Amino acid sequence: MRLARIAHPEGVAFVSVDGDGDSDDTMVSEIADHPFGTPNYTGRKWPLADTRLLSPILPTKVIAVGRNYADHAREMGNEVPAEPMIFLKPSTTVIGPNAPIRRPKQSEQVDFEGELAVIIGQPVKNVPAAQARQAVLGYTVANDVSARDFQRSDGQWGRAKGFDTFCPIGPWIETELDPADLPIRTTVDGETKQDSRTSELVHKVPELIEFVSSVMTLLPGDTILTGTPAGVGPIVAGQEVSITIDGIGTLTNPVENA
């Protein structure tokens, strides 16, 4: 099932996307209240083309994982950490498909980072890796936008990773997916910049859920960014970033100056 959050002529709603979401006649069906557990449908439907996709979820927190692809660690001149290296992005970084990434005036280098994102489906604490799947609502595409100059200079990453609009996610959440070996590609204005597979993750999805939940309670909707492969680079106003993960879809965002 594909779960989305949309703006429609009468407001905002969680919906399921009928079909793959790519055809012109795709319909979406409204889900009452929230998308967790067995969906309770209201009976209302809209053509997807008559709605606007929003970020598919509004997490209480975004937990990101650094240096989780060995080739990316190398390109940044770093070693692969023995344990997951985690940091937080505030909820105000989250935007949806086609919403602009706003490049802050303070930064001289803002980079894209295409990533697989895990959406948590129920409250969990200290969940073992072997049981991690039961904690997952589904998977989506994310862009861990980073002010690289501040990441280098600050010594900690709160400012570099925390600007508004620095966490596009979408276009929807895919609930029936094996994340172990998915192609992931990033393009800027149509030019391929990243081309890898999630099988290259150093710390796999179940391990990440076990590790993060040993530190903090994960709540429904919380989002784990699993790391980015090699090929990250700068983006400037007027460009467009697209990240595609097979089995999920494509997340596209324009870039503009704040």
Side-chain angles (χ1 to χ4, degrees):
M1 179 184 297
R2 287 183 166 172
L3 301 171
R5 195 170 65 94
I6 61 163
H8 59 82
E10 299 171 45
V12 173
F14 287 108
V15 296
S16 64
V17 180
D18 303 331
D20 60 12
D22 294 329
S23 60
D24 292 338
D25 58 353
T26 297
M27 300 292 292
V28 294
S29 300
E30 185 179 38
I31 297 171
D33 300 324
H34 59 73
F36 306 107
T38 302
N40 179 20
Y41 291 101
T42 67
R44 298 205 298 176
K45 294 189 175 187
W46 300 273
L48 178 60
D50 291 347
T51 70
R52 178 166 57 89
L53 286 168
L54 306 173
S55 61
I57 205 72
L58 294 174
T60 70
K61 53 188 173 291
V62 177
I63 308 96
V65 183
R67 304 174 191 171
N68 203 26
Y69 285 80
D71 57 0
H72 173 60
R74 285 193 298 269
E75 77 174 346
M76 302 301 289
N78 298 306
E79 299 293 326
V80 175
E83 292 185 308
M85 175 186 292
I86 63 173
F87 57 93
L88 297 177
K89 294 172 78 80
S91 59
T92 46
T93 60
V94 175
I95 57 173
N98 303 310
I101 298 166
R102 294 179 59 80
R103 197 174 181 278
K105 297 175 183 177
Q106 304 97 307
S107 176
E108 296 183 357
Q109 182 181 345
V110 173
D111 285 7
F112 62 84
E113 294 189 6
E115 309 202 8
L116 171 72
V118 183
I119 309 299
I120 298 299
Q122 60 179 312
V124 288
K125 174 67 174 168
N126 293 321
V127 61
Q131 299 174 21
R133 182 62 185 89
Q134 68 188 37
V136 176
L137 175 64
Y139 306 90
T140 192
V141 184
N143 188 348
D144 177 20
V145 183
S146 306
R148 195 70 71 199
D149 47 352
F150 295 149
Q151 187 177 5
R152 288 191 292 260
S153 68
D154 287 1
Q156 56 79 35
W157 300 353
R159 179 167 63 147
K161 302 285 191 171
F163 284 96
D164 291 352
T165 76
F166 269 27
C167 189
I169 60 174
W172 39 62
I173 299 166
E174 175 58 65
T175 64
E176 301 296 328
L177 187 72
D178 182 351
D181 186 25
L182 302 172
I184 177 170
R185 297 176 298 277
T186 302
T187 65
V188 177
D189 291 342
E191 180 181 351
T192 298
K193 300 292 186 178
Q194 294 179 291
D195 190 356
S196 188
R197 304 186 72 90
T198 57
S199 56
E200 297 298 316
L201 285 167
V202 176
H203 304 288
K204 311 303 184 184
V205 169
E207 301 168 54
L208 295 177
I209 296 172
E210 177 180 66
F211 182 84
V212 175
S213 72
S214 74
V215 177
M216 64 192 76
T217 299
L218 293 170
L219 300 176
D222 283 352
T223 300
I224 299 174
L225 309 188
T226 59
T228 194
V232 301
I235 46 177
V236 298
Q239 293 186 314
E240 184 177 81
V241 185
S242 293
I243 303 161
T244 300
I245 299 179
D246 286 12
I248 302 176
T250 299
L251 170 67
T252 298
N253 297 91
V255 183
E256 64 181 38
N257 289 326

